Amino acid sequence: MFNNLSDKLDKALHVLKGHGSITEVNVAETLKEVRRALLDADVNFKTAKEFTNRVKDKALGQDVLTTLQPGQLMVKIVKDELTELMGGDTVGISLKSSPSVILMSGLQGSGKTTFSGKLANYLKTKKTKKPLLVACDVYRPAAINQLHVVGEQIKVDVYSEEGNMDPVAIATNAIAHAKQNGHNVVIVDTAGRLAVDEEMMTEIANIHNAITPDETLFVVDSMTGQDAVNTAKAFNDKLNFDGVVLTKLDGDTRGGAAISIKSVVNKPIKFIGTGEKMDAIDVFHPARMADRILG
Ligand code: GDP
């Protein structure tokens, strides 16, 4: 995960690690390299600039140059700031209502259906919940079928309505069905398109307004870099979602989405997807991710 970024940051900070004492020039050069590494990882310019400025201020504030192990302290400052940038603390999902309703949003191919299954499986096994998966992608019969396959695999019920082209009605009926059948979590998988378009946005906003979910999650493919951040912005403007799910972190992703998304949309990353299998789901921990990135 993020191998390229980790290597570059390691190289940038290596210069300081070896020094007993360092100069302001060392710090400035290191931060320039850090910024370059972030930009190469597809972190947007403003985020990278603000990040290195904060590290610099903190380093000067803590008198890095006069401490015994300035290199170690610099690494710690970078790690702490990276953790903050990715949200600081872990933020869980809220499952207050009964049934609790979770709405999935995102583009086609982002991993919504897969993640819906993973989340249902996670809630079932880790939190002893009884989830219901709901297929609201009325345009692609294959997507409905895919959710049924996932449901069978993890032994979770799937609600769909053949021939009904109204996703708002399906979602509403599914919640009534959940109440009648003792499901305490309802996970609504929705239609996505290949790019943000008005019709899709209106449709998901209508579903959102009708079912008032406890959690609206935005699912995004981490491989899409800056596009991931722009798409997040568009969905957040429309839905004011509660959290982000970053998928495909097992791939050769550069890291920009993970690092920038929180600072751009001000919504936490709540889960990550790390593979195609149903157990490839993790709660997002900013500090652990910063550890991984910095090695
Ligand atoms: P949807 O169109 O948003 O519902 O996306 P899908 O759930 O159908 O996922 C699209 C593709 O990405 C499928 O081939 C999934 O198996 C794959 N996929 C989803 N999540 C992950 C992940 O975390 N890692 C990897 N490697 N593949 C994933």
Side-chain angles (χ1 to χ4, degrees):
M1 198 188 285
F2 310 153
N3 288 341
N4 204 9
L5 173 62
S6 293
D7 285 351
K8 284 186 179 152
L9 288 175
D10 188 47
K11 263 193 207 119
L13 293 165
H14 191 73
V15 180
L16 294 186
K17 282 184 196 162
H19 284 58
S21 65
I22 53 179
T23 65
E24 220 164 287
V25 175
N26 293 139
V27 173
E29 273 170 10
T30 299
L31 289 179
K32 211 160 121 194
E33 289 302 313
V34 167
R35 187 188 301 184
R36 197 169 291 157
L38 292 174
L39 293 175
D40 284 351
D42 229 1
V43 172
N44 73 53
F45 184 78
K46 189 165 166 264
T47 305
K49 189 168 176 214
E50 286 172 358
F51 176 79
T52 42
N53 283 344
R54 272 199 308 276
V55 172
K56 188 172 153 207
D57 290 348
K58 219 168 166 183
L60 294 177
Q62 295 187 15
D63 281 337
V64 156
L65 300 180
T66 58
T67 56
L68 278 178
Q69 291 184 306
Q72 312 295 62
L73 186 54
M74 273 302 283
V75 174
K76 184 177 179 314
I77 292 173
V78 171
K79 201 173 268 188
D80 289 349
E81 282 302 316
L82 201 52
T83 304
E84 274 310 304
L85 189 59
M86 290 189 290
D89 296 321
T90 297
V91 185
I93 51 171
S94 156
L95 301 174
K96 287 202 198 95
S97 320
S98 192
S100 307
V101 178
I102 304 172
L103 179 67
M104 296 294 171
S105 65
L107 296 181
Q108 187 177 316
S110 60
K112 277 188 308 302
T113 304
T114 308
F115 183 76
S116 298
K118 287 178 183 177
L119 184 60
N121 192 40
Y122 169 86
L123 292 172
K124 187 180 125 191
T125 49
K126 297 246 161 86
K127 311 271 177 199
T128 58
K129 297 280 183 189
K130 190 184 173 199
L132 176 71
L133 285 162
V134 183
C136 275
D137 188 347
V138 296
Y139 312 104
R140 292 191 311 137
I144 299 175
N145 199 33
Q146 187 190 346
L147 197 64
H148 278 281
V149 171
V150 161
E152 264 169 45
Q153 205 183 326
I154 57 173
K155 310 248 175 314
V156 166
D157 291 343
V158 176
Y159 185 92
S160 63
E161 291 185 21
E162 205 178 320
N164 190 346
M165 294 301 283
D166 179 357
V168 174
I170 298 172
T172 312
N173 295 343
I175 293 169
H177 176 90
K179 282 182 186 153
Q180 279 159 13
N181 292 277
H183 293 280
N184 48 15
V185 181
V186 178
I187 299 173
V188 181
D189 186 20
T190 60
R193 302 243 159 77
L194 291 174
V196 172
D197 76 68
E198 218 26 61
E199 208 181 322
M200 169 183 67
M201 285 299 188
T202 304
E203 178 179 303
I204 186 128
N206 288 342
I207 300 175
H208 186 264
N209 292 340
I211 63 176
T212 53
D214 298 77
E215 277 284 329
T216 302
L217 296 176
F218 168 68
V219 182
V220 68
D221 179 346
S222 60
M223 307 281 280
T224 57
Q226 298 243 2
D227 274 350
V229 178
N230 295 334
T231 313
K233 228 169 84 204
F235 274 82
N236 194 45
D237 287 349
K238 199 79 179 184
L239 293 178
N240 191 17
F241 57 67
D242 301 294
V244 177
V245 176
L246 210 52
T247 64
K248 310 189 194 181
L249 277 175
D250 51 310
D252 188 20
T253 170
R254 284 188 286 171
I259 293 170
S260 315
I261 239 167
K262 169 68 172 59
S263 71
V264 176
V265 292
N266 198 24
K267 294 291 166 67
I269 300 173
K270 296 197 171 184
F271 288 99
I272 56 173
T274 54
E276 293 186 86
K277 298 221 173 80
M278 282 297 116
D279 59 358
I281 168 175
D282 278 309
V283 169
F284 183 71
H285 297 285
R288 279 188 217 167
M289 187 57 82
D291 273 343
R292 270 173 103 149
I293 293 172
L294 289 169

